[in-house]
Amino acid sequence: MVTTPLLHAAIDLMAVQVECEHLALPTGATVFEQGMQADAIYGIRRGIIELIGRDGEKLCYRPGELFCYQDIVWGVGRHDNTAIARTPVEILRLERLHFLNLLHNHPTLALLLIGQQHDRLREQRTSGTCCY
């Protein structure tokens, strides 16, 4: 998946929030595990994060992408996946309430996330990794 300048703009918008945490993690570090409380959204500034699902399915996220927003917006408050740094990473962490406020103040961010999800589904369909 190719990230767009607009998604990088979303990361930049997230980064300037006072409440945003900036984290640097080494290769192999666990960001969160499946079943843990989902209380924040993450954005990648540098590196690759791999999400591993219940059935072993894997999905990589790269710089400019946000991940796990599904868990905090539509989920039951728990992570559906385990997130592992596959390279050294710099990520941003913004708690749920602050993320929802950011969406409220910048509604175009929601459109960017829908576009990202659409690209992901298209990528999975093309590669044959998505079942209907």
Side-chain angles (χ1 to χ4, degrees):
M1 177 176 167
V2 176
T3 58
T4 66
L6 290 175
L7 279 176
H8 284 282
I11 295 292
D12 293 340
L13 184 61
M14 196 172 144
V16 298
Q17 302 304 303
V18 173
E19 306 84 5
C20 188
E21 290 181 65
H22 298 251
L23 306 169
L25 301 171
T27 300
T30 300
V31 180
F32 55 79
E33 293 186 12
Q34 179 184 359
M36 288 177 62
Q37 182 176 349
D39 58 359
I41 184 170
Y42 296 85
I44 303 174
R45 294 201 97 167
R46 183 178 62 89
I48 298 173
I49 294 287
E50 182 177 61
L51 268 60
I52 304 169
R54 294 180 197 279
D55 297 324
E57 65 276 4
K58 297 177 181 180
L59 192 58
C60 287
Y61 286 84
R62 293 170 178 80
E65 294 185 283
L66 303 176
F67 64 98
C68 92
Y69 58 88
Q70 301 93 328
D71 294 340
I72 66 169
V73 175
W74 303 305
V76 294
R78 301 275 175 210
H79 288 293
D80 284 337
N81 304 292
T82 296
I84 298 174
R86 288 300 176 209
T87 65
V89 295
E90 290 178 17
I91 57 176
L92 305 173
R93 181 182 183 280
L94 189 62
E95 289 186 10
R96 181 181 189 276
L97 181 59
H98 299 297
F99 173 65
L100 294 175
N101 285 335
L102 182 63
L103 280 177
H104 178 77
N105 293 328
H106 301 278
T108 55
L109 179 58
L111 296 175
L112 293 173
L113 294 175
I114 291 169
Q116 177 182 317
Q117 195 65 19
H118 173 75
D119 290 344
R120 284 263 170 215
L121 290 172
R122 182 182 302 165
E123 180 181 295
Q124 289 173 340
R125 186 173 183 198
T126 301
S127 70
T129 59
C130 186
C131 299
Y132 296 97

